Amino acid sequence: MNKRILISGASIAGLTLAHWLARHGFEPTVVEHAPAPRSGGNGVDVRGNAIEVTERMGILPRIRALATDVHGMKFVDATGRAVARIDTRDPASVEIMRGDLVALLHEVTDAEILFGDSVLGLEQDDDGVTVTFEHAPARRFDLVVGADGMHSNIRRLAFDPEERFIRFKDHYFAFADTDASLGENRWVTMFNTPGKMTGIYRSGNHAQAKAYFMFRSAPLRYDHRDVAEHRRLISEAFGGESSWRTRELLDAALADPDLYFDALGQVRMDSWSNGRVTLVGDAAWCASPASGAGAELALVGAYLLAGELAAADGGHRVAFARYDAARRPLVDAKQRIGPNVRLMVPKTEGGRCVRDVVARLPLLRTLGAMERRTPLPEYGLSGGGGRRS
Ligand SMILES: Cc1cc2nc3c(=O)[nH]c(=O)nc-3n(C[C@H](O)[C@H](O)[C@H](O)COP(=O)(O)OP(=O)(O)OC[C@H]3O[C@@H](n4cnc5c(N)ncnc54)[C@H](O)[C@@H]3O)c2cc1C
């Protein structure tokens, strides 16, 4: 039986997978290149089947206790006057700060975690995978899972360079810490100029607030790991803007050592597995922050992958094929982000006026409630031989 499983990435997908693999009797090891769980990010939504996944992990009450209590999105003009509000509250969904969710997942995961390290090489044969690390000595594993985000290292090593899989969605975005007094409590406030959005995310239950930037652009050449480059790019995009709170928010972003900047991109792959290696979360199917579904897809995907491995007694070929088939429909649906992007960043002044009218309609509030749900499979917890029901 394939028992020893290496997971690259200790975030939402990787920690959830390690938790469920351990409960099914596998021996997961996680390698994370950061020295500790990464705490950054805005609120993320736990909704749909992800609610049941976290309930079965025993953390749903704590997620609810830490919920952000954000009421919705508010669009403002240059004077700060609200021109439209969309109430996004949904009783079937809980929003939590990404860092709080990662900390909770870390707490309930019983697995060896190698912080401050990364996989250098993978060599597969009929019986397993020899893995070399940047720091730790080389080791054998039965299976390897890439849960290391949109710029996945494992995907690059076991499949192809990321250019083959990442579809650029014409925008870049950034999040950074900022002064909470700049935003209205419980609202994500957004200000637009054509092709640009500056915003502030302020939760009801947290003192802190996040500056939020998005801008439309042709593809830019830069090193996605270089924070100095990120600063330069958002300065170039927003440095000439002085309306609303843009200057103060930009100053805060440039001063934040944990500024998070990336291309709005999606990962598209025909198959998420190659032999003994598979992918989960953003590494496999990143739908982008504009989907609002990254955490949901990661939590449910990791649960299903662990469950299918248990149901197949560790048989990776059967398990990976079932996991792939079970995931595709929801991933395909969540990757349709066009309407969300047009809502947040209208391309033109005319588009913004139309958006403001549409945002006042009650229709948008009911769209979430129309989503179809499929039942979440139960997998018996019988020490490695879980049964599917
Ligand atoms: C710091 C941070 C802030 C974020 N903020 C937001 C946000 O505000 N809103 C939003 O919608 N989404 C945000 N995201 C993305 C969001 O977490 C994901 O879309 C989603 O939750 C799926 O999570 P994931 O576990 O698949 O990937 P991610 O959360 O991206 O996690 C990938 C993990 O892999 C690790 N990793 C990367 N490369 C390597 C390597 N070579 N070796 C080992 N480990 C590696 C990373 O450090 C990270 O811990 C953020 C991600 C990060 C890392």
Coordinates of all heavy atoms in Angstrom, one line a residue, residues 188-258:
V188 N -16.3 46.0 2.1 CA -15.2 46.1 1.2 C -15.5 47.3 0.3 O -16.4 47.2 -0.5 CB -15.0 44.8 0.3 CG1 -13.8 44.9 -0.5 CG2 -15.0 43.6 1.2
T189 N -14.7 48.4 0.5 CA -15.0 49.6 -0.2 C -14.1 49.6 -1.5 O -12.9 49.4 -1.4 CB -14.7 50.8 0.7 OG1 -15.4 50.6 1.9 CG2 -15.1 52.1 0.0
M190 N -14.7 49.9 -2.6 CA -13.9 50.0 -3.8 C -14.1 51.3 -4.6 O -15.3 51.7 -4.7 CB -14.3 48.8 -4.8 CG -14.1 47.5 -4.1 SD -14.4 46.2 -5.3 CE -14.6 44.8 -4.3
F191 N -13.0 51.8 -5.2 CA -13.1 53.0 -6.0 C -12.5 52.6 -7.4 O -11.4 52.0 -7.4 CB -12.3 54.1 -5.3 CG -12.1 55.3 -6.2 CD1 -13.2 56.1 -6.5 CD2 -10.9 55.5 -6.8 CE1 -13.0 57.2 -7.4 CE2 -10.7 56.6 -7.6 CZ -11.8 57.5 -7.9
N192 N -13.1 53.1 -8.4 CA -12.6 52.7 -9.8 C -12.3 53.9 -10.6 O -13.0 54.9 -10.6 CB -13.7 51.9 -10.5 CG -14.0 50.6 -9.9 OD1 -15.0 50.4 -9.2 ND2 -13.1 49.6 -10.2
T193 N -11.2 53.8 -11.4 CA -11.0 54.6 -12.6 C -10.9 53.5 -13.7 O -10.8 52.3 -13.4 CB -9.7 55.4 -12.5 OG1 -8.6 54.5 -12.1 CG2 -9.8 56.5 -11.4
P194 N -11.0 53.9 -15.0 CA -11.1 52.9 -16.0 C -9.9 51.9 -15.9 O -8.8 52.3 -15.9 CB -11.0 53.7 -17.3 CG -11.7 55.0 -16.9 CD -11.2 55.3 -15.5
G195 N -10.3 50.6 -15.8 CA -9.3 49.5 -15.8 C -8.5 49.4 -14.4 O -7.6 48.6 -14.3
K196 N -9.0 50.2 -13.4 CA -8.2 50.1 -12.1 C -9.2 50.1 -11.0 O -10.3 50.7 -11.0 CB -7.3 51.3 -11.9 CG -6.2 51.3 -12.9 CD -5.3 52.5 -12.7 CE -4.2 52.5 -13.8 NZ -3.4 53.7 -13.7
M197 N -8.8 49.4 -9.9 CA -9.6 49.4 -8.7 C -8.7 49.6 -7.5 O -7.7 48.9 -7.4 CB -10.4 48.1 -8.6 CG -11.3 48.1 -7.4 SD -10.5 47.4 -5.9 CE -10.6 45.7 -6.3
T198 N -9.0 50.5 -6.6 CA -8.3 50.6 -5.3 C -9.4 50.3 -4.3 O -10.5 50.8 -4.4 CB -7.9 52.0 -5.0 OG1 -7.4 52.6 -6.2 CG2 -6.8 52.1 -3.9
G199 N -9.1 49.5 -3.3 CA -10.1 49.1 -2.3 C -9.5 49.0 -0.9 O -8.3 49.0 -0.7
I200 N -10.5 48.9 0.0 CA -10.1 48.6 1.4 C -11.1 47.6 2.0 O -12.3 47.8 1.9 CB -9.9 49.9 2.2 CG1 -9.6 49.5 3.7 CG2 -11.1 50.8 2.2 CD1 -9.0 50.7 4.5
Y201 N -10.5 46.6 2.5 CA -11.2 45.5 3.1 C -11.2 45.7 4.6 O -10.1 45.7 5.2 CB -10.6 44.1 2.7 CG -11.2 42.9 3.4 CD1 -12.1 42.1 2.7 CD2 -10.8 42.6 4.7 CE1 -12.6 41.0 3.3 CE2 -11.3 41.5 5.3 CZ -12.2 40.7 4.6 OH -12.7 39.6 5.2
R202 N -12.4 45.8 5.2 CA -12.4 46.0 6.7 C -13.4 45.1 7.3 O -14.6 45.2 7.0 CB -12.7 47.5 7.0 CG -12.6 47.7 8.5 CD -12.3 49.1 8.9 NE -12.4 49.2 10.3 CZ -12.8 50.2 11.0 NH1 -13.2 51.3 10.3 NH2 -12.9 50.1 12.3
S203 N -12.9 44.2 8.1 CA -13.8 43.2 8.7 C -14.4 43.8 10.0 O -13.9 44.7 10.6 CB -12.9 42.0 9.1 OG -13.3 41.4 10.3
G204 N -15.6 43.2 10.3 CA -16.3 43.6 11.5 C -15.5 43.2 12.8 O -15.6 43.8 13.8
N205 N -14.8 42.0 12.7 CA -14.3 41.4 13.9 C -12.8 41.6 14.1 O -12.2 40.9 14.9 CB -14.6 39.9 14.0 CG -16.1 39.7 14.1 OD1 -16.9 40.6 14.5 ND2 -16.6 38.6 13.6
H206 N -12.1 42.3 13.2 CA -10.7 42.4 13.3 C -10.3 43.9 13.2 O -10.9 44.7 12.5 CB -10.0 41.7 12.1 CG -10.3 40.2 12.1 ND1 -11.5 39.7 11.7 CD2 -9.6 39.2 12.5 CE1 -11.5 38.4 11.8 NE2 -10.3 38.0 12.3
A207 N -9.3 44.2 14.0 CA -8.9 45.6 14.1 C -8.3 46.1 12.8 O -8.4 47.2 12.3 CB -7.9 45.8 15.2
Q208 N -7.6 45.1 12.1 CA -6.8 45.4 11.0 C -7.6 45.5 9.7 O -8.8 45.1 9.6 CB -5.9 44.2 10.8 CG -4.6 44.6 10.4 CD -3.8 43.4 9.9 OE1 -4.4 42.4 9.5 NE2 -2.5 43.6 9.8
A209 N -7.0 46.2 8.7 CA -7.7 46.3 7.4 C -6.7 46.0 6.3 O -5.5 46.1 6.5 CB -8.3 47.7 7.2
K210 N -7.2 45.7 5.1 CA -6.3 45.4 4.0 C -6.6 46.3 2.8 O -7.7 46.5 2.5 CB -6.6 43.9 3.5 CG -6.4 42.9 4.5 CD -5.0 42.4 4.6 CE -4.8 41.4 5.7 NZ -3.4 41.1 6.0
A211 N -5.5 46.9 2.3 CA -5.6 47.6 1.0 C -5.6 46.6 -0.1 O -5.0 45.5 0.0 CB -4.4 48.5 0.9
Y212 N -6.4 46.9 -1.1 CA -6.6 46.0 -2.2 C -6.5 46.7 -3.5 O -7.1 47.8 -3.7 CB -8.1 45.5 -2.0 CG -8.5 44.3 -2.8 CD1 -9.8 43.7 -2.6 CD2 -7.7 43.7 -3.7 CE1 -10.2 42.6 -3.3 CE2 -8.1 42.6 -4.5 CZ -9.4 42.0 -4.3 OH -9.8 41.0 -5.0
F213 N -5.7 46.2 -4.4 CA -5.5 46.9 -5.7 C -5.7 45.9 -6.9 O -5.3 44.7 -6.7 CB -4.1 47.4 -5.9 CG -3.7 48.4 -4.8 CD1 -3.1 48.0 -3.6 CD2 -3.8 49.8 -5.0 CE1 -2.8 48.9 -2.6 CE2 -3.5 50.7 -4.1 CZ -2.9 50.2 -2.9
M214 N -6.3 46.3 -8.0 CA -6.4 45.5 -9.2 C -6.2 46.4 -10.4 O -6.8 47.5 -10.3 CB -7.7 44.8 -9.2 CG -7.6 43.3 -9.4 SD -9.2 42.6 -9.1 CE -9.4 41.8 -10.7
F215 N -5.5 46.0 -11.3 CA -5.4 46.8 -12.6 C -5.3 46.0 -13.8 O -4.7 44.9 -13.8 CB -4.3 47.8 -12.5 CG -2.9 47.3 -12.4 CD1 -2.1 47.1 -13.5 CD2 -2.3 46.9 -11.2 CE1 -0.8 46.6 -13.4 CE2 -1.1 46.4 -11.1 CZ -0.3 46.2 -12.2
R216 N -5.9 46.5 -14.9 CA -5.9 45.8 -16.1 C -4.5 46.1 -16.8 O -4.1 47.2 -16.8 CB -7.0 46.4 -17.0 CG -7.4 45.6 -18.1 CD -8.6 46.2 -18.8 NE -8.7 45.5 -20.1 CZ -9.3 44.3 -20.2 NH1 -9.9 43.7 -19.2 NH2 -9.3 43.7 -21.4
S217 N -4.0 45.1 -17.5 CA -2.7 45.3 -18.1 C -2.4 44.2 -19.1 O -2.9 43.1 -19.0 CB -1.6 45.3 -17.0 OG -0.3 45.2 -17.5
A218 N -1.5 44.5 -20.1 CA -1.0 43.5 -20.9 C 0.0 42.7 -20.0 O 0.4 43.2 -18.9 CB -0.2 44.1 -22.1
P219 N 0.4 41.5 -20.4 CA 1.4 40.7 -19.5 C 2.6 41.5 -19.3 O 3.2 42.2 -20.2 CB 1.7 39.5 -20.4 CG 0.5 39.4 -21.3 CD 0.0 40.7 -21.6
L220 N 3.1 41.5 -18.0 CA 4.3 42.2 -17.6 C 5.4 41.2 -17.4 O 5.2 40.1 -16.9 CB 4.1 43.0 -16.4 CG 2.9 44.1 -16.4 CD1 2.6 44.6 -15.0 CD2 3.3 45.2 -17.3
R221 N 6.6 41.6 -17.7 CA 7.8 40.7 -17.4 C 8.4 41.1 -16.1 O 8.8 42.3 -15.9 CB 8.8 40.9 -18.5 CG 8.4 40.3 -19.8 CD 9.5 40.5 -20.8 NE 10.6 39.5 -20.6 CZ 10.6 38.3 -21.1 NH1 9.6 37.9 -21.8 NH2 11.7 37.5 -20.9
Y222 N 8.4 40.2 -15.1 CA 8.9 40.5 -13.8 C 9.1 39.1 -13.1 O 8.5 38.1 -13.5 CB 8.0 41.4 -13.0 CG 6.7 40.7 -12.5 CD1 6.5 40.2 -11.2 CD2 5.7 40.6 -13.4 CE1 5.4 39.6 -10.9 CE2 4.5 40.0 -13.1 CZ 4.3 39.5 -11.8 OH 3.2 38.9 -11.4
D223 N 9.9 39.1 -12.0 CA 10.1 37.9 -11.2 C 9.0 37.9 -10.2 O 9.0 38.7 -9.3 CB 11.5 38.0 -10.6 CG 11.8 36.8 -9.7 OD1 10.9 36.0 -9.4 OD2 12.9 36.7 -9.2
H224 N 8.2 36.8 -10.2 CA 7.0 36.8 -9.3 C 7.5 36.6 -7.8 O 6.6 36.7 -6.9 CB 6.0 35.8 -9.7 CG 6.4 34.3 -9.5 ND1 6.3 33.7 -8.3 CD2 6.9 33.5 -10.4 CE1 6.7 32.5 -8.5 NE2 7.1 32.3 -9.7
R225 N 8.8 36.3 -7.6 CA 9.2 36.2 -6.2 C 9.8 37.5 -5.6 O 10.2 37.6 -4.5 CB 10.2 35.1 -6.1 CG 9.7 33.7 -6.3 CD 10.8 32.7 -6.2 NE 10.5 31.6 -7.1 CZ 10.8 31.6 -8.4 NH1 11.3 32.6 -9.0 NH2 10.4 30.6 -9.2
D226 N 10.0 38.5 -6.5 CA 10.8 39.7 -6.1 C 9.8 40.8 -5.6 O 9.2 41.5 -6.4 CB 11.6 40.1 -7.3 CG 12.5 41.2 -7.0 OD1 12.3 41.9 -6.0 OD2 13.5 41.5 -7.8
V227 N 9.8 41.0 -4.3 CA 8.9 42.0 -3.7 C 9.2 43.4 -4.2 O 8.3 44.3 -4.4 CB 8.9 41.9 -2.2 CG1 7.9 42.9 -1.6 CG2 8.5 40.5 -1.7
A228 N 10.5 43.7 -4.4 CA 10.9 45.0 -4.9 C 10.3 45.3 -6.3 O 9.8 46.4 -6.6 CB 12.4 45.1 -5.0
E229 N 10.2 44.3 -7.1 CA 9.6 44.4 -8.4 C 8.1 44.6 -8.2 O 7.4 45.4 -9.0 CB 9.7 43.1 -9.2 CG 11.1 42.9 -9.7 CD 11.2 43.1 -11.2 OE1 11.2 44.3 -11.5 OE2 11.3 42.2 -11.9
H230 N 7.5 43.9 -7.3 CA 6.0 44.1 -7.0 C 5.7 45.6 -6.7 O 4.8 46.2 -7.1 CB 5.5 43.2 -5.9 CG 5.8 41.8 -6.2 ND1 5.7 40.8 -5.2 CD2 6.1 41.1 -7.3 CE1 6.0 39.6 -5.7 NE2 6.2 39.8 -7.0
R231 N 6.6 46.1 -5.8 CA 6.4 47.5 -5.4 C 6.5 48.5 -6.6 O 5.7 49.4 -6.7 CB 7.5 47.9 -4.3 CG 7.3 47.2 -3.0 CD 8.0 47.9 -1.9 NE 7.8 47.2 -0.7 CZ 8.7 46.3 -0.2 NH1 9.9 46.2 -0.7 NH2 8.4 45.6 0.9
R232 N 7.5 48.2 -7.4 CA 7.6 49.0 -8.6 C 6.4 49.0 -9.5 O 5.9 50.0 -9.9 CB 8.9 48.6 -9.4 CG 9.1 49.3 -10.7 CD 10.4 48.9 -11.4 NE 10.3 47.5 -11.9 CZ 9.6 47.1 -13.0 NH1 9.0 48.0 -13.7 NH2 9.6 45.8 -13.3
L233 N 5.9 47.8 -9.7 CA 4.7 47.6 -10.6 C 3.5 48.3 -10.1 O 2.8 49.0 -10.8 CB 4.5 46.1 -10.9 CG 5.6 45.4 -11.6 CD1 5.4 43.9 -11.7 CD2 5.7 46.0 -13.1
I234 N 3.2 48.2 -8.7 CA 2.0 48.9 -8.3 C 2.2 50.4 -8.2 O 1.3 51.2 -8.4 CB 1.3 48.3 -7.0 CG1 2.2 48.4 -5.8 CG2 0.7 47.0 -7.2 CD1 1.3 48.2 -4.6
S235 N 3.4 50.8 -8.0 CA 3.7 52.3 -8.0 C 3.5 52.8 -9.4 O 2.9 53.8 -9.6 CB 5.2 52.6 -7.7 OG 5.4 52.3 -6.4
E236 N 3.9 52.0 -10.4 CA 3.7 52.5 -11.8 C 2.2 52.5 -12.1 O 1.8 53.4 -12.8 CB 4.5 51.6 -12.8 CG 5.9 51.9 -12.8 CD 6.7 50.9 -13.7 OE1 6.1 50.1 -14.4 OE2 8.0 50.9 -13.6
A237 N 1.5 51.6 -11.6 CA 0.1 51.5 -12.0 C -0.7 52.6 -11.3 O -1.7 53.1 -11.8 CB -0.5 50.1 -11.7
F238 N -0.4 52.9 -10.0 CA -1.3 53.7 -9.2 C -0.6 55.0 -8.7 O -1.3 55.9 -8.1 CB -1.8 53.0 -7.9 CG -2.8 51.9 -8.3 CD1 -2.3 50.6 -8.5 CD2 -4.1 52.2 -8.5 CE1 -3.2 49.6 -8.9 CE2 -5.0 51.2 -8.9 CZ -4.6 49.9 -9.1
G239 N 0.7 55.2 -9.0 CA 1.4 56.4 -8.6 C 0.8 57.7 -9.1 O 0.9 58.7 -8.4
G240 N 0.2 57.6 -10.3 CA -0.4 58.8 -10.9 C -1.8 59.1 -10.4 O -2.4 60.1 -10.9
E241 N -2.4 58.3 -9.6 CA -3.8 58.4 -9.1 C -3.8 59.1 -7.8 O -3.1 58.7 -6.9 CB -4.4 57.0 -9.0 CG -4.3 56.1 -10.2 CD -5.4 56.2 -11.1 OE1 -6.5 56.6 -10.7 OE2 -5.2 56.0 -12.3
S242 N -4.7 60.1 -7.7 CA -4.7 60.8 -6.4 C -6.2 60.9 -5.9 O -6.4 61.4 -4.8 CB -4.2 62.3 -6.6 OG -4.9 62.9 -7.7
S243 N -7.1 60.4 -6.6 CA -8.5 60.5 -6.2 C -8.8 59.5 -5.0 O -8.0 58.5 -4.8 CB -9.5 60.1 -7.3 OG -9.2 60.9 -8.4
W244 N -9.8 59.8 -4.3 CA -10.3 59.0 -3.1 C -9.1 58.8 -2.2 O -8.4 59.7 -1.9 CB -11.0 57.7 -3.6 CG -11.6 57.0 -2.5 CD1 -12.5 57.4 -1.6 CD2 -11.3 55.6 -2.1 NE1 -12.9 56.4 -0.7 CE2 -12.1 55.3 -1.0 CE3 -10.4 54.6 -2.6 CZ2 -12.1 54.1 -0.4 CZ3 -10.4 53.4 -2.0 CH2 -11.3 53.1 -0.9
R245 N -8.9 57.6 -1.7 CA -7.9 57.3 -0.7 C -6.7 56.6 -1.3 O -5.8 56.0 -0.6 CB -8.4 56.3 0.3 CG -9.7 56.7 1.0 CD -9.3 57.5 2.2 NE -10.4 57.7 3.1 CZ -10.3 58.6 4.1 NH1 -9.3 59.4 4.2 NH2 -11.3 58.7 4.9
T246 N -6.6 56.7 -2.7 CA -5.6 55.9 -3.4 C -4.1 56.1 -2.9 O -3.4 55.2 -2.7 CB -5.6 56.1 -4.9 OG1 -7.0 55.9 -5.3 CG2 -4.7 55.3 -5.7
R247 N -3.8 57.4 -2.6 CA -2.4 57.7 -2.2 C -2.1 57.1 -0.9 O -1.0 56.5 -0.7 CB -2.3 59.2 -2.1 CG -1.5 59.7 -3.2 CD -0.8 61.0 -3.2 NE -0.5 61.3 -4.5 CZ -0.7 62.4 -5.1 NH1 -1.1 63.5 -4.4 NH2 -0.5 62.6 -6.4
E248 N -3.0 57.2 0.1 CA -2.8 56.7 1.4 C -2.6 55.1 1.4 O -1.8 54.5 2.0 CB -3.9 57.0 2.4 CG -3.9 58.5 2.8 CD -5.3 59.0 2.9 OE1 -6.0 59.1 1.8 OE2 -5.8 59.3 4.0
L249 N -3.5 54.5 0.6 CA -3.5 53.1 0.5 C -2.2 52.6 -0.2 O -1.6 51.6 0.2 CB -4.8 52.5 -0.3 CG -6.1 52.8 0.5 CD1 -7.3 52.4 -0.4 CD2 -6.1 51.9 1.8
L250 N -1.8 53.3 -1.2 CA -0.6 53.0 -1.9 C 0.6 53.1 -1.0 O 1.5 52.2 -1.0 CB -0.4 53.9 -3.2 CG 0.8 53.6 -4.0 CD1 0.8 52.1 -4.6 CD2 0.9 54.5 -5.2
D251 N 0.7 54.2 -0.2 CA 1.8 54.4 0.7 C 1.8 53.2 1.7 O 2.9 52.6 2.0 CB 1.6 55.7 1.5 CG 1.9 56.9 0.7 OD1 2.5 56.7 -0.4 OD2 1.6 58.0 1.1
A252 N 0.7 52.8 2.2 CA 0.6 51.6 3.1 C 1.1 50.4 2.4 O 1.9 49.6 3.0 CB -0.8 51.4 3.6
A253 N 0.7 50.1 1.2 CA 1.1 48.9 0.5 C 2.6 48.9 0.3 O 3.3 47.9 0.5 CB 0.4 48.8 -0.8
L254 N 3.2 50.1 -0.1 CA 4.6 50.1 -0.4 C 5.4 49.9 0.9 O 6.6 49.4 0.9 CB 5.0 51.4 -1.0 CG 4.3 51.6 -2.4 CD1 4.7 53.0 -3.0 CD2 4.7 50.5 -3.4
A255 N 4.8 50.2 2.1 CA 5.6 50.0 3.3 C 5.4 48.6 4.0 O 6.1 48.3 4.9 CB 5.1 51.1 4.3
D256 N 4.5 47.8 3.4 CA 4.2 46.5 4.0 C 5.2 45.5 3.6 O 5.2 45.2 2.4 CB 2.7 46.1 3.7 CG 2.4 44.8 4.3 OD1 3.2 44.2 4.9 OD2 1.2 44.4 4.2
P257 N 6.0 44.9 4.5 CA 7.0 43.9 4.0 C 6.3 42.6 3.5 O 6.9 41.9 2.7 CB 7.7 43.6 5.3 CG 6.9 44.1 6.5 CD 6.0 45.2 5.9
D258 N 5.0 42.4 3.9 CA 4.3 41.2 3.4 C 3.4 41.5 2.2 O 2.4 40.8 2.0 CB 3.5 40.6 4.5 CG 4.4 40.0 5.6 OD1 5.5 39.5 5.2 OD2 4.1 40.1 6.8

